[in-house]
Amino acid sequence: MLLASAAIAEDRTAWFREAKFGMFIHWGPYSLASVEASWPLMTPPSKRFGFISEPEYRALPERFNPVQYDPAAWVKLAKAAGQRYMVFTSKHHDGFCMFDSQFTRYKITNTPYKKDTAAMLVEAARNEGMKLGFYYSPPDMDHPGYRDTTKLSVTNWRGEPTRPEWSMYLDYMQLQVTELLTRYGDVAIIWWDGLGGKSYDPTRFDRLIRELQPKTLTNNRVGSPGDYITPEQFVPKTIPSKKPLAPGAVPAPEDFQLWETCMTINGTWGYNKNDTKYKSTTQLIRTLIEVASKGGNFLLNVGPTPEGTIQPEFAERLLAIGEWMKVNGEAIYGTTYGPLQNLGFARTTAKGKTIYLHVFDWPKGELEVPGLGARVVEARLLKGSVKLGFRQAGGKLSIQVPAAAPDAHASVIALKTR
Ligand code: FHN
């Protein structure tokens, strides 16, 4: 049984392990106020999450009307960036539904916009062959089964599972996840975000998803392992493994733990015009490489504006990443962790018999690569597909490289091995 389930999981996750790079989208009426999604309800007023009272936050849908929303443009931008899947917030912790759920009035079709934003994105993604998943928050500040909603969310935001109403909330979750999996086509991922809550009866939802769409992936944030783990805003120091691993070591393939880092371009998941601490394109590309070098996926977030557009600071970075991916994508897509970890000056990814050397710090003179056991038969610079001279002796590989780094972000050399 174990083998069968491992084989089924292997098959189900094959597209995910190929895709490597996705777009996360945090969008809702909170974008009007340039505050973080949901957290201003759950924590005392703060600079980090924004200063807005619960009544003001809950009134935002009354004036949410993203008339410039063009989901086809979002999908085209993701494709141009080299992103091969998208994950859209169907419902964040605030409980507001960005899809036309029949089980709540607190939803996008009850705003001046009136249209089902999720359904529109589904159609645009389908037209471009883009895989689309839904982020869904088990925490729900709006539902009286999740918490006593006569109180402010800040007092009971973690939920009240000991109340008799809790089972009503789980039924509501079941109804909504069923809507998402029966009315919006093929759903690539249900991206749970349960904030570590332990009372969501995960087996019930694992079973529901397997019954409705067996190919839908799930993550580890509803209380069960799911298909993959989800480090957030950081890259693990060692390759995630189901068995203990020494720093710098690589796991046996069967011990590898599938994973995905999610990250913001600035510091806010939702749109925030005041957050201008944007990561540079080089930082983002090197994070993508760092993630891939440890076998992970990179889910890079955008928080669209209240008008429904993606701000230029995000778009220009995504397009620049896409330009890099046009030349170097083979060193990311469908790869797994490389054999050389902790090189310092470079990272490695691997695909079949080819090892990709992503060089961050370009050398003066030859490029010395220690510790490579495999016999190299060809070294090729991906930029311009230029074959490079090399010699290999005593576990050291020396590659004759151009004087200047071919790519300021990261230059990739494909090492074909025997
Ligand atoms: O609280 C959320 C946060 O708003 C955001 O959605 C991230 C994205 O993964 N998840 C939670 C924080 O861990």
Side-chain angles (χ1 to χ4, degrees), residues 24 26 36-39 42 89 92-93 135 191 193 195 221 232 262 269:
F24 212 173
H26 278 69
E36 184 56 285
S38 304
W39 283 98
M42 301 146 67
T89 48
H92 205 263
H93 311 321
Y135 166 111
W191 211 99
D193 203 5
L195 298 180
R221 295 195 181 191
E232 179 170 315
C262 55
W269 295 101

Coordinates of all heavy atoms in Angstrom, one line a residue, residues 24 26 36-39 42 89 92-93 135 191 193 195 221 232 262 269, ligand 1:
F24 N 2.2 33.7 -6.8 CA 1.2 33.7 -5.7 C 0.5 35.1 -5.8 O 1.1 36.1 -6.2 CB 2.0 33.7 -4.3 CG 1.3 33.1 -3.2 CD1 2.0 32.9 -2.0 CD2 0.0 32.6 -3.2 CE1 1.4 32.3 -0.9 CE2 -0.6 32.0 -2.1 CZ 0.1 31.8 -1.0
H26 N -2.2 37.6 -3.8 CA -3.0 38.0 -2.6 C -3.8 39.2 -3.0 O -3.2 40.3 -3.1 CB -2.1 38.3 -1.4 CG -1.6 37.1 -0.6 ND1 -0.7 36.2 -1.1 CD2 -1.9 36.7 0.6 CE1 -0.5 35.2 -0.2 NE2 -1.2 35.5 0.8
E36 N -2.1 45.0 5.2 CA -1.9 43.6 5.0 C -3.2 42.9 4.9 O -4.2 43.3 5.6 CB -1.0 43.0 6.1 CG -0.6 41.5 5.8 CD 0.1 41.3 4.5 OE1 -0.6 41.2 3.5 OE2 1.3 41.1 4.5
A37 N -3.3 41.7 4.2 CA -4.5 40.9 4.2 C -4.8 40.4 5.6 O -3.9 39.8 6.2 CB -4.3 39.7 3.2
S38 N -6.0 40.7 6.1 CA -6.6 40.1 7.3 C -5.9 40.5 8.6 O -6.6 40.7 9.6 CB -6.6 38.6 7.2 OG -7.3 38.2 6.1
W39 N -4.6 40.6 8.6 CA -3.9 40.8 9.9 C -4.3 42.0 10.7 O -4.3 42.0 12.0 CB -2.4 40.7 9.8 CG -2.0 39.2 9.6 CD1 -1.8 38.6 8.4 CD2 -1.9 38.2 10.6 NE1 -1.5 37.2 8.7 CE2 -1.6 37.0 10.0 CE3 -2.0 38.3 12.0 CZ2 -1.4 35.8 10.7 CZ3 -1.9 37.1 12.7 CH2 -1.5 35.9 12.1
M42 N -6.7 40.9 13.2 CA -6.3 39.9 14.1 C -5.3 40.4 15.2 O -5.0 39.7 16.1 CB -5.8 38.7 13.4 CG -6.8 38.1 12.4 SD -6.0 37.5 10.8 CE -5.1 36.1 11.5
T89 N -5.8 33.8 -4.0 CA -6.5 33.8 -2.7 C -8.0 33.8 -2.9 O -8.6 34.8 -3.2 CB -6.1 35.0 -1.8 OG1 -6.2 36.2 -2.7 CG2 -4.7 34.9 -1.3
H92 N -9.1 34.6 2.2 CA -8.0 34.8 3.2 C -8.6 34.7 4.6 O -9.8 34.5 4.8 CB -7.3 36.2 2.9 CG -5.9 36.2 3.4 ND1 -5.6 36.7 4.6 CD2 -4.8 35.7 2.9 CE1 -4.3 36.5 4.8 NE2 -3.8 35.9 3.8
H93 N -7.8 35.0 5.6 CA -8.3 34.8 7.0 C -9.5 35.7 7.3 O -10.3 35.4 8.2 CB -7.2 35.1 8.0 CG -5.9 34.5 7.8 ND1 -5.7 33.2 7.3 CD2 -4.6 35.0 7.9 CE1 -4.5 32.9 7.2 NE2 -3.8 34.0 7.5
Y135 N -5.6 29.4 -3.0 CA -5.3 29.5 -1.6 C -6.6 29.6 -0.8 O -7.6 30.2 -1.3 CB -4.5 30.9 -1.4 CG -4.4 31.4 0.0 CD1 -3.2 31.4 0.7 CD2 -5.5 31.9 0.7 CE1 -3.0 31.9 2.0 CE2 -5.4 32.3 2.0 CZ -4.2 32.4 2.6 OH -4.0 32.8 3.9
W191 N -4.3 25.4 -1.6 CA -3.2 25.9 -0.8 C -3.7 26.4 0.5 O -4.1 27.5 0.7 CB -2.5 27.1 -1.6 CG -1.0 27.3 -1.3 CD1 0.0 26.9 -2.1 CD2 -0.4 28.0 -0.2 NE1 1.2 27.3 -1.6 CE2 1.0 27.9 -0.4 CE3 -0.9 28.5 1.0 CZ2 1.9 28.5 0.5 CZ3 0.0 29.1 1.9 CH2 1.4 29.0 1.7
D193 N -4.0 27.5 4.4 CA -3.2 28.4 5.2 C -3.8 28.5 6.6 O -4.3 29.5 7.0 CB -3.1 29.8 4.6 CG -1.9 30.5 5.1 OD1 -1.1 29.9 5.8 OD2 -1.7 31.7 4.7
L195 N -2.5 28.5 9.6 CA -1.8 29.1 10.7 C -1.5 28.1 11.9 O -1.6 28.5 13.1 CB -2.6 30.3 11.2 CG -2.8 31.5 10.2 CD1 -3.6 32.6 10.8 CD2 -1.5 32.0 9.7
R221 N -0.6 22.8 5.4 CA -1.1 23.8 6.3 C -2.6 23.7 6.7 O -3.2 24.7 7.1 CB -0.9 25.2 5.7 CG 0.6 25.6 5.5 CD 0.8 27.0 5.3 NE 2.2 27.4 5.1 CZ 2.6 28.7 5.0 NH1 1.7 29.7 5.2 NH2 3.8 29.0 4.8
E232 N 8.2 29.8 4.5 CA 7.6 31.1 4.1 C 8.6 32.2 4.3 O 9.2 32.3 5.4 CB 6.4 31.3 4.9 CG 5.7 32.7 4.6 CD 4.4 32.8 5.2 OE1 3.6 31.8 5.1 OE2 4.1 33.8 5.8
C262 N 7.4 30.3 -0.3 CA 6.6 31.4 -0.8 C 7.2 32.7 -0.3 O 7.7 32.7 0.8 CB 5.1 31.3 -0.4 SG 4.8 31.1 1.4
W269 N 2.1 40.9 1.7 CA 1.4 40.0 0.8 C 0.3 40.7 0.0 O 0.2 40.5 -1.2 CB 0.8 38.8 1.6 CG 1.8 38.0 2.2 CD1 2.2 38.0 3.6 CD2 2.6 37.0 1.7 NE1 3.2 37.1 3.8 CE2 3.5 36.4 2.7 CE3 2.7 36.4 0.4 CZ2 4.4 35.4 2.4 CZ3 3.7 35.4 0.1 CH2 4.5 34.9 1.2
Ligands
FHN1 O1 -1.2 35.0 7.5 C1 -0.8 34.5 6.2 C2 -0.3 35.6 5.4 O2 -1.2 36.7 5.3 C3 0.0 35.1 4.0 O3 -1.2 34.7 3.4 C4 1.0 34.0 4.1 C5 1.3 33.4 2.8 O4 1.7 32.1 2.9 N1 0.5 32.9 5.0 C6 0.1 33.4 6.3 C7 1.3 33.7 7.2 O5 2.0 32.5 7.4

